[in-house]
């Protein structure tokens, strides 16, 4: 059987009856009972010529598995990076919004969950921009009112100080809160002397 194989008969006890097993490190063995006898025909062949191509195939399969695993790892890394790119862009956009660039809008990605998040961010930015505009308008109005109040107060102060009659203001507790030059001439007390004092 092959260049180094043998065929022999085994008895019922498993000991060789005719022939002997070859001295092989690796052997392929086949057994067949011979009907109506206590013997078994055993065929052995050297496994090396048969297993060498299988071992070579196993090495190629291992290399193929390693190559496939590396390719899959690269593909997964690329897919993860591709999936995370919109999140990184959203993070940068959030920083721009936080830095005051309220005109920034996110590009809506194709992924449903990220698209929803991007739309929410864009709505938030839109609302922030509107609120910011409203606050700027309100601050402008308040600044104008403050300037008008300062102008009115200056006119009031001019009229009050230049009035020839005594004009004074009182709190609910009857403490003096305003005192003009006419009051200084009539009563003889300076403004610093009477402001905050009881009438």
């Amino acid at each position: 059987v092959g260049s180094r194989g043998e065929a022999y008969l085994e008895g019922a006890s498993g000991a060789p009856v005719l022939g002997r097993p070859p001295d092989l490190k690796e052997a392929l063995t086949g057994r067949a009972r011979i009907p109506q006898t206590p013997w078994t025909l055993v065929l052995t062949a050297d496994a090396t010529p048969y297993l060498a191509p299988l071992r070579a195939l196993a090495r190629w399969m291992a290399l193929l598995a390693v190559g496939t695993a590396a390719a899959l790892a690269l593909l997964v890394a690329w897919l993860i990076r591709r999936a995370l790119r919109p999140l990184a862009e959203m993070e940068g956009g959030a920083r721009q919004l936080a830095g005051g660039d309220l005109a920034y809008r996110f590009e809506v990605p194709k992924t449903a969950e990220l698209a929803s998040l991007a739309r929410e961010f864009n709505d938030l930015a839109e609302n922030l921009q509107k609120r910011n505009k409203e606050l700027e308008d309100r601050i402008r109005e308040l600044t104008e009112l403050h300037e008008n109040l300062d102008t009115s107060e200056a006119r009031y102060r001019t009229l009050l100080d230049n009035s020839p009659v005594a004009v004074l203001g009182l709190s609910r507790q009857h403490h003096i809160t305003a005192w003009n030059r006419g009051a200084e001439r009539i009563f003889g007390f300076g403004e610093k002397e009477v402001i905050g004092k009881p009438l």
Side-chain angles (χ1 to χ4, degrees):
V1 181
S3 62
R4 297 177 60 200
E6 293 284 338
Y8 62 94
L9 287 177
E10 280 182 349
S13 65
V17 173
L18 179 64
R20 61 183 176 79
D23 184 24
L24 298 172
K25 288 184 180 180
E26 290 182 300
L28 297 175
T29 305
R31 287 183 162 76
R33 288 247 338 135
I34 299 174
Q36 300 162 348
T37 68
W39 300 315
T40 302
L41 176 63
V42 180
L43 296 175
T44 60
D46 186 8
T48 305
Y50 302 105
L51 295 180
L54 292 175
R55 287 186 178 126
L57 181 61
R59 281 192 296 275
W60 281 108
M61 292 299 288
L63 286 173
L64 180 63
V66 168
T68 303
L72 281 175
L74 290 173
L75 177 65
V76 167
W78 179 78
L79 288 172
I80 288 172
R81 187 175 174 138
R82 184 174 174 218
L84 292 178
R85 187 178 309 128
L87 292 176
E89 290 172 3
M90 286 181 180
E91 180 186 5
R95 277 198 210 105
Q96 282 187 278
L97 287 172
D101 182 7
L102 299 179
Y104 179 82
R105 295 296 179 271
F106 293 104
E107 184 178 326
V108 178
K110 294 177 184 171
T111 309
E113 295 82 7
L114 295 178
S116 174
L117 185 61
R119 283 191 289 276
E120 290 299 324
F121 265 113
N122 288 341
D123 289 346
L124 176 67
E126 187 75 30
N127 288 337
L128 282 173
Q129 193 172 23
K130 286 178 185 175
R131 298 283 183 182
N132 194 46
K133 175 84 170 90
E134 289 170 4
L135 286 174
E136 286 173 353
D137 291 345
R138 186 69 180 142
I139 288 171
R140 196 173 304 110
E141 289 173 15
L142 290 174
T143 303
E144 289 174 8
L145 285 174
H146 189 266
E147 288 171 0
N148 290 342
L149 183 63
D150 286 346
T151 303
S152 296
E153 186 178 351
R155 286 183 190 152
Y156 164 75
R157 178 56 66 193
T158 302
L159 286 172
L160 183 69
D161 284 345
N162 295 325
S163 175
V165 296
V167 178
L168 54 125
L170 296 174
S171 70
R172 290 184 179 187
Q173 293 79 20
H174 301 327
H175 287 91
I176 298 173
T177 58
W179 190 263
N180 74 341
R181 289 185 197 150
E184 284 181 15
R185 278 193 307 275
I186 294 171
F187 298 113
F189 296 107
E191 182 179 19
K192 291 182 180 177
E193 295 175 274
V194 296
I195 294 293
K197 301 267 171 74
L199 184 58

